[in-house]
Amino acid sequence: MLCYKDKTFCNAPCTMASCSRKFTDQDKRDAKQWWGESGGEPPVSFGDLSRNCPSYVPMISPE
């Protein structure tokens, strides 16, 4: 399947802002530009990659 940047972005709740797998607001804008105006939402692949990620820093839920 064709998807933006031909990679899977991580959707795990993580605080690591510098992660190359984090889907940022800039990625969202770039994906829409790449896909074009008439095609609807761009195809983007997401998955929870936290299990094998050495940089994963889980978010702490307020209690």
Side-chain angles (χ1 to χ4, degrees):
M1 175 180 183
L2 175 73
C3 63
Y4 176 65
K5 288 194 175 181
D6 196 28
K7 75 179 197 180
T8 300
F9 289 89
C10 186
N11 63 357
C14 177
T15 61
M16 183 58 69
S18 63
C19 179
S20 65
R21 294 287 184 169
K22 188 176 227 49
F23 191 71
T24 65
D25 289 337
Q26 184 64 51
D27 286 313
K28 187 173 185 175
R29 288 188 295 273
D30 291 347
K32 285 184 181 230
Q33 182 179 13
W34 165 75
W35 192 241
E37 294 294 323
S38 62
E41 289 297 311
V44 180
S45 177
F46 291 101
D48 185 342
L49 306 176
S50 62
R51 193 168 108 186
N52 296 315
C53 180
S55 301
Y56 177 63
V57 180
M59 297 181 124
I60 308 279
S61 300
E63 298 200 28

